[in-house]
Amino acid sequence: MSFLPKPKLHHPKLPTNALGFTRRDYEGAISTLCAGCGHDSISAAIIQACFDLDIEPHRVAKMSGIGCSSKTPDYFLGASHGFNSVHGRMPSVLTGANLANRELIYLGVSGDGDSASIGLGQFAHSLRRGVNMTYIVENNGVYGLTKGQFSATSDKGSKAKKGTINADEPIDLVGMALQLGATYVGRGFSGDKDQLVPLIKGAIRHGGAAFIDCISPCVAFNNHEGSTKSYDFVREHNEAVNRLDVILGRAPITTAYGPGELRDVVQHDGSVLRLRKLHSDYDPTDRVAAMNYLQERKAAGEIVTGLLYVDPEPSDLHASQNTVALPLNRLDDAALCPGAAALARVNAGLR
Amino acid sequence: MVGTHAAADKRDERLRRQFANVNGSGSASANQLFAKSILRMGIPIASRNIFPSNIQGLPTWFEVRVSGEGHLGRRGGVDLMVAMNPQTWDRDVAEIDPGGYLFYDSTKPLPQSKFRADINVIGVPLTQMCNAAYTDSRQRQLFKNIIYVGALSALLQIEPKVIETLLTEQFKGKERLAKSNQDAFHMGRDWALANLECPIGLRLAPSDKVGDRIYVDGNSAAGLGAVYGGATVCAWYPITPSTSLAEGFERYCKRFRTEPETGRKRYAIVQAEDELASIGMVIGASWNGARAFTATSGPGISLMQEFVGLSYFAEIPSVIFDVQRAGPSTGMPTRTQQSDVLAAAYASHGDTKHLVLFPEDPRECFEMGAQAFDLADRFQQPVFVLLDLDIGMNDWLCEPFAWDDSRRMDRGKVMTAEELEAGQVFGRYLDADGDGVPYRTYPGTHPSKGAFFTRGTSRDRFAKYTEQGAAYVDNMQRLLRKFETAKAHVPRPVERPAAQPARAGVLYYGSSSAAMTEALAALEAEGVHLDALRIRAFPFHDDVLDFIARHDKVFVVEQNRDAQLRTLLMTEGGIDAARLVPILHYDGTPITARFIHAAIADKAPVLNVVPMRKAAP
Ligand SMILES: Cc1ncc(C[n+]2csc(CCOP(=O)(O)OP(=O)(O)O)c2C)c(N)n1
Ligand code: SF4
Ligand SMILES: [Mg+2]
């Protein structure tokens, strides 16, 4: 493996966003993943989402653990600081980073082994704390980087490439995220970019803990007959509950829809989550109903995707910490050090 | 001022007292009252809680050392035992030095066989007095403690005014409680004056030896140091004996770091789910330009290993306070040791070396607690501050905290947006200044310059992933260079030359300091002269190696089984094992002056450590 700097050839006709950036400005190094790996599609979706949202690339902090999925932050947003930490511990590193500077956008990328196996604890606790972040698990049901062992999200009965059948119950990260209090929960599929890009956009504009489970087939180790995380299997069993559009600013409705078909959810920052319902009885603002629905459909063998839950007025870790508005990393000596006079008073109290 | 110094009995110079109590019985405040009253008389004390790892039920001791010379370490032996706990009676009685005193509750008569002939016995019917005075069982228990403090005040000539003042301070705003405590105190005192021969041979005379010193525990001091050092993020997981460090930080933050206009916090404290998350948060916060730390003890250090290696190799500052306890494994969680020296110095897999600081008392916990953040930022790597249970959880008498208002945080080599804009070359792992220390940028600094990818995998000078051997070696060599540079920046050792030229020396560190000072004096009185050097940091300053080179033999005093600092000296300094003689105390109790004295005196003749004759002109 080696690093290949990507030539930046700006075509004069490339479309630009409100900041004057082209999509190229959101790209990173050339991927070293296998051709056809689902993870690369997710990187492309992240690039698209950041471009669409007119984000300044350097205001994003990209964090990850270890795995093929965790390598991807090198392959998008090359002008951002990135941090490939240790296996399963991205959430704690991201939490610390977020505490230090509340003004950046935190994008955590992880794998199913990274988050559901070794890092299940950190996954859970970062969501419980409501860290303001977009947390994406690129879920392929295996450990790609270590060559195809089952991960904890692998379905019971799913077949490994070498023929072994997985005997253990899978961990459903979406179900856990809902139960743990994540305030934005979605599931996508790397093979459906139209669905995934708005899910990521909505998550980035969400002011709390946003979690996306993105099924992302591993073409090298888990894309065969008998696997429940292959492209074919996921396409066949994918049941989207809604289609999302993220609209910034004013949101005129252009296409005609039947009554009750559309629902706008306005997030705290003014962004509008416009949902076209595919299942008329699905209410993505009802956490308990969402959990029940997911359990039911899972039992029926469906892979439910879409924006599954959103709390439009989320809280976050800084709110519960009651930290000052200025990022902690910008506080200076005067704000931090009480000084000699205060110390003399401390001394006096200790005699 | 009360009376004059009753110098008749030399023993009052080295009064030491042990309370035996039942943990959770509410006596901690009576113990504090007793200790503070002596301090307020201007007499130096050292006090220690000795307690097991549970909340209620098992015996605990509170030990007060009073020393006319001002020695603050543990001496060893007991002159006055206040035996309040039947469970440990035999052991308590056995511990008293011949000629010493036993103070006990004489309500229930005890057979003669329960006492010793060579000690003085003082019985006070505490339970009987309480039962007569109070009806409520809780009150009976509570005031019993104050009553015995009253009796002790008469026996030891503690000024009643001092205790009255302390009680008034303690129950400020709760006048009724203050009054009932005063009454209980006088009940005990009056009974003793009327019924016992007061004072006894151990007595206290007002002194001026305390001066402006303060009485504080090391964990609070280190927490305060972190406040002064500019820490804004604390992530921790509860573990004895480090918990009160994070709590101390929080207490001082509430006082000093609350934004006056809004009531909002200039800090964040996260009680993490485990130590892995604690150190992960510290690293994330530091990577992003905040000063962050965690506080833990041995088991937590073990869990943090992988992340510590990341902090070292990816060069991200991290500050770790390790309040050591007796290991290995869960070990003796409420007993003290200095047994994480190697675990800290070489934490994590692969080739790593970290900065380690060894504070000797709360005053240094404060100083090093603040300095650790400068060092971590300057050298972009883990910095361990090794306290131990003895310093961390006991109140120590020490010099007052000091701060120079002209001092500023040293944020190390951080390249700014302006510098990047001006075209300065930025290579995250480039040794631009030849001292091994590279420049870093904070995330979000500049729209198009200075971003890099942080990773625990190997990379070249410009942070690009590489597995090329030459680039890897280049980087590992630079890390060594950086470590070398750090030598001159960590706290220097403190040397204390012997009164006469000495052939032998002694090295020691951390909480052994107070007992060492006393042991040196005792040895000197016997004609054993030793130059002494207190090590304050790893990497070792050249002074340490010079010191060893200047002496034939060097004792290394430590509170662990395996002579860990000695191993570190041998490995890092290339020193011959035979020249370093280990003196090891590791039963979980704080090292005593008597122990060091005896251990060195024992070995001194064999090693020919008698004073050299005055050098010929
Ligand atoms: C502490 C530790 N244990 C084991 C490994 C080896 N390892 C690297 S990646 C990985 C699994 C990655 O799986 P996943 O998170 O699903 O990522 P994927 O490669 O499938 O995208 C493992 C076990 C490691 N890097 N660190
Ligand atoms: S091994 Fe699997 S997960 Fe890894 S890059 Fe290849 S296809 Fe992707
Ligand atoms: Mg995987």
Side-chain angles (χ1 to χ4, degrees):
Chain A
M1 257 180 299
S2 67
F3 176 87
L4 301 169
K6 186 180 273 188
K8 279 224 161 90
L9 299 173
H10 273 189
H11 195 280
K13 284 207 190 106
L14 278 180
T16 54
N17 63 11
L19 297 176
F21 289 125
T22 70
R23 249 203 320 274
R24 273 283 159 88
D25 295 312
Y26 293 88
E27 292 175 353
I30 285 176
S31 170
T32 58
L33 304 184
C34 306
C37 175
H39 302 347
D40 279 335
S41 310
I42 302 174
S43 297
I46 291 170
I47 290 168
Q48 184 69 43
C50 293
F51 172 82
D52 289 353
L53 290 175
D54 304 322
I55 287 169
E56 292 179 280
H58 77 292
R59 303 302 292 170
V60 180
K62 309 170 292 183
M63 329 288 290
S64 63
I66 298 290
C68 296
S69 36
S70 291
K71 283 191 201 176
T72 63
D74 206 9
Y75 314 142
F76 56 81
L77 301 184
S80 312
H81 275 67
F83 195 159
N84 201 182
S85 64
V86 289
H87 195 20
R89 319 294 172 201
M90 173 278 284
S92 64
V93 179
L94 189 152
T95 301
N98 181 295
L99 286 171
N101 184 358
R102 59 191 303 164
E103 288 181 351
L104 300 182
I105 292 167
Y106 293 91
L107 181 55
V109 174
S110 177
D112 44 313
D114 206 53
S115 280
S117 300
I118 193 169
L120 189 63
Q122 298 214 340
F123 158 82
H125 290 279
S126 65
L127 295 179
R128 275 180 65 225
R129 292 190 184 101
V131 180
N132 184 358
M133 63 179 168
T134 297
Y135 187 147
I136 302 174
V137 167
E138 308 190 344
N139 186 353
N140 53 17
V142 288
Y143 297 169
L145 194 61
T146 52
K147 302 201 180 303
Q149 302 83 358
F150 287 125
S151 83
T153 65
S154 189
D155 289 306
K156 191 168 184 167
S158 187
K159 197 166 92 186
K161 203 173 176 184
K162 287 180 184 157
T164 339
I165 302 293
N166 181 33
D168 302 339
E169 281 295 330
I171 286 172
D172 177 13
L173 292 174
V174 156
M176 286 191 73
L178 283 168
Q179 197 267 320
L180 290 162
T183 44
Y184 182 106
V185 180
R187 185 184 280 131
F189 171 42
S190 66
D192 186 348
K193 197 174 169 193
D194 291 345
Q195 181 192 42
L196 184 57
V197 171
L199 275 179
I200 297 172
K201 284 159 69 174
I204 291 175
R205 296 299 297 247
H206 183 71
F211 174 70
I212 300 171
D213 177 25
C214 188
I215 316 249
S216 174
C218 168
V219 293
F221 300 110
N222 207 13
N223 196 32
H224 47 269
E225 180 85 41
S227 155
T228 59
K229 295 274 191 299
S230 68
Y231 279 109
D232 287 347
F233 187 91
V234 178
R235 279 206 188 92
E236 271 161 40
H237 297 80
N238 188 346
E239 283 292 329
V241 289
N242 49 35
R243 294 306 281 199
L244 171 67
D245 250 328
V246 178
I247 299 158
L248 307 179
R250 303 189 74 201
I253 297 171
T254 46
T255 329
Y257 288 106
E261 252 189 294
L262 273 195
R263 168 144 186 217
D264 281 358
V265 178
V266 184
Q267 299 209 92
H268 186 80
D269 70 347
S271 59
V272 177
L273 304 176
R274 176 156 298 165
L275 292 155
R276 184 159 57 85
K277 292 188 180 178
L278 302 178
H279 284 257
S280 55
D281 55 343
Y282 194 81
D283 176 4
T285 59
D286 183 338
R287 189 188 289 273
V288 176
M291 292 199 282
N292 288 336
Y293 182 88
L294 284 162
Q295 292 290 332
E296 267 170 41
R297 301 326 299 161
K298 192 178 153 210
E302 288 177 9
I303 302 170
V304 177
T305 58
L307 177 58
L308 305 173
Y309 175 72
V310 62
D311 175 351
E313 292 290 336
S315 183
D316 89 319
L317 180 59
H318 279 280
S320 56
Q321 286 275 340
N322 195 26
T323 43
V324 288
L326 195 68
L328 295 179
N329 71 353
R330 293 228 298 275
L331 297 174
D332 60 8
D333 288 87
L336 296 178
C337 184
L343 199 55
R345 288 194 296 278
V346 171
N347 284 329
L350 296 171
R351 290 186 178 120
Chain B
M1 287 268 171
V2 169
T4 45
H5 196 281
D9 191 338
K10 265 207 92 181
R11 300 171 49 80
D12 64 339
E13 292 273 296
R14 45 187 179 82
L15 170 69
R16 179 177 175 279
R17 169 171 178 283
Q18 223 166 20
F19 278 121
N21 285 309
V22 174
N23 197 351
S25 70
S27 62
S29 64
N31 294 336
Q32 279 299 318
L33 182 67
F34 174 78
K36 272 214 155 168
S37 66
I38 302 174
L39 260 187
R40 289 281 179 96
M41 290 171 70
I43 307 166
I45 61 159
S47 59
R48 285 177 172 83
N49 281 296
I50 306 212
F51 60 99
S53 177
N54 77 330
I55 301 302
Q56 203 153 8
L58 289 184
T60 70
W61 289 265
F62 182 69
E63 175 184 301
V64 180
R65 166 94 195 269
V66 182
S67 138
E69 292 90 4
H71 292 310
L72 299 176
R74 282 188 85 204
R75 185 199 65 186
V78 176
D79 298 312
L80 166 63
M81 175 67 80
V82 179
M84 300 293 288
N85 178 32
Q87 274 174 283
T88 58
W89 176 272
D90 292 339
R91 182 180 146 183
D92 290 348
V93 171
E95 253 199 272
I96 303 167
D97 279 5
Y101 295 82
L102 169 69
F103 179 103
Y104 78 111
D105 180 354
S106 59
T107 304
K108 255 200 228 147
L110 284 170
Q112 200 57 42
S113 63
K114 285 285 182 189
F115 299 94
R116 274 168 50 192
D118 62 342
I119 56 172
N120 306 295
V121 176
I122 306 166
V124 180
L126 292 166
T127 307
Q128 192 189 322
M129 288 163 74
C130 280
N131 291 353
Y134 309 101
T135 46
D136 180 74
S137 69
R138 227 180 64 88
Q139 280 190 335
R140 283 176 176 170
Q141 183 55 39
L142 224 72
F143 288 124
K144 189 151 102 181
N145 298 307
I146 304 295
I147 293 173
Y148 77 63
V149 173
L152 288 174
S153 78
L155 291 164
L156 301 169
Q157 267 187 353
I158 297 174
E159 298 167 42
K161 261 231 104 52
V162 169
I163 296 203
E164 283 163 14
T165 311
L166 282 166
L167 285 170
T168 311
E169 286 173 18
Q170 190 186 339
F171 298 104
K172 209 170 152 190
K174 299 175 201 152
E175 269 64 40
R176 265 194 34 216
L177 254 176
K179 168 91 173 59
S180 44
N181 274 279
Q182 309 270 17
D183 291 348
F185 166 69
H186 281 287
M187 187 195 304
R189 184 176 169 82
D190 294 347
W191 191 94
L193 288 171
N195 298 287
L196 300 171
E197 201 178 302
C198 295
I200 54 171
L202 310 166
R203 65 196 76 156
L204 302 167
S207 162
D208 54 3
K209 286 214 174 111
V210 170
D212 67 345
R213 278 185 284 179
I214 57 174
Y215 182 59
V216 65
D217 63 287
N219 282 351
S220 297
L224 182 65
V227 173
Y228 274 73
T232 52
V233 176
C234 164
W236 67 294
Y237 188 77
I239 183 168
T240 305
S242 74
T243 298
S244 53
L245 201 161
E247 289 169 349
F249 178 70
E250 179 159 28
R251 202 168 60 243
Y252 287 116
C253 275
K254 278 190 175 144
R255 184 162 158 197
F256 295 124
R257 291 277 196 77
T258 307
E259 197 171 62
E261 312 84 48
T262 61
R264 288 164 71 177
K265 299 175 181 171
R266 293 184 174 133
Y267 63 95
I269 299 173
V270 180
Q271 188 192 308
E273 59 269 30
D274 54 30
E275 285 86 349
L276 284 77
S278 306
I279 183 71
M281 289 177 201
V282 168
I283 288 173
S286 301
W287 174 76
N288 216 359
R291 290 191 150 186
F293 74 95
T294 185
T296 188
S297 191
I301 295 293
S302 292
L303 282 183
M304 291 177 187
Q305 298 288 309
E306 186 184 18
F307 259 132
V308 170
L310 177 73
S311 171
Y312 175 78
F313 196 48
E315 297 181 69
I316 300 161
S318 60
V319 173
I320 300 159
F321 291 94
D322 174 7
V323 188
Q324 300 166 96
R325 64 190 216 184
S329 188
T330 307
M332 296 195 283
T334 59
R335 308 286 162 167
T336 196
Q337 249 177 19
Q338 298 178 316
S339 51
D340 295 345
V341 175
L342 290 172
Y346 297 134
S348 206
H349 57 276
D351 293 324
T352 59
K353 298 186 204 212
H354 312 295
L355 308 188
V356 188
L357 310 181
F358 306 105
E360 67 163 341
D361 64 1
R363 150 87 183 215
E364 273 195 352
C365 290
F366 169 78
E367 265 172 29
M368 292 182 180
Q371 190 187 6
F373 294 93
D374 281 350
L375 289 169
D377 269 349
R378 171 116 319 248
F379 295 102
Q380 304 171 28
Q381 67 166 97
V383 177
F384 288 87
V385 187
L386 288 198
L387 288 75
D388 60 28
L389 182 140
D390 188 21
I391 304 186
M393 290 188 68
N394 288 312
D395 286 328
W396 286 52
L397 191 64
C398 62
E399 290 304 312
F401 303 136
W403 192 258
D404 174 359
D405 277 334
S406 67
R407 178 168 165 178
R408 293 285 168 270
M409 290 189 273
D410 173 11
R411 299 308 315 263
K413 299 186 187 180
V414 180
M415 213 173 263
T416 61
E418 294 70 37
E419 288 163 340
L420 290 164
E421 194 57 42
Q424 212 146 308
V425 179
F426 174 69
R428 174 65 183 95
Y429 301 105
L430 185 68
D431 189 2
D433 303 330
D435 57 1
V437 187
Y439 285 79
R440 61 181 186 136
T441 55
Y442 296 153
T445 296
H446 188 282
S448 58
K449 300 184 169 88
F452 65 96
F453 202 69
T454 303
R455 39 161 64 90
T457 40
S458 62
R459 78 310 298 219
D460 67 11
R461 295 172 178 185
F462 291 86
K464 301 287 187 298
Y465 179 81
T466 178
E467 285 183 16
Q468 285 185 11
Y472 171 83
V473 169
D474 173 66
N475 186 56
M476 292 298 278
Q477 285 297 323
R478 181 183 53 75
L479 287 169
L480 273 186
R481 226 156 37 241
K482 183 169 89 163
F483 201 65
E484 199 55 36
T485 303
K487 269 188 191 170
H489 288 75
V490 296
R492 286 181 77 136
V494 180
E495 179 160 1
R496 191 169 12 182
Q500 295 184 24
R503 230 184 251 160
V506 58
L507 290 170
Y508 61 102
Y509 59 100
S511 68
S512 305
S513 184
M516 190 70 227
T517 305
E518 184 175 354
L520 282 170
L523 285 161
E524 192 170 274
E526 289 168 7
V528 180
H529 294 272
L530 295 168
D531 292 328
L533 190 78
R534 181 164 68 87
I535 293 178
R536 298 204 297 160
F538 175 73
F540 301 119
H541 196 275
D542 289 341
D543 288 0
V544 177
L545 303 184
D546 284 353
F547 180 87
I548 298 171
R550 277 191 275 126
H551 295 91
D552 298 345
K553 294 278 180 208
V554 176
F555 295 101
V556 187
V557 177
E558 307 191 52
Q559 300 186 51
N560 59 58
R561 184 193 69 178
D562 291 346
Q564 297 192 15
L565 190 88
R566 176 173 173 268
T567 301
L568 203 55
L569 285 162
M570 280 155 47
T571 315
E572 297 289 326
I575 294 159
D576 178 6
R579 307 207 21 230
L580 300 176
V581 184
I583 300 289
L584 304 170
H585 180 93
Y586 57 92
D587 68 0
T589 58
I591 197 167
T592 62
R594 282 185 183 176
F595 171 85
I596 302 174
H597 178 178
I600 291 182
D602 194 38
K603 293 198 165 117
V606 189
L607 299 171
N608 202 15
V609 179
V610 287
M612 284 192 288
R613 252 168 291 267
K614 276 256 156 66

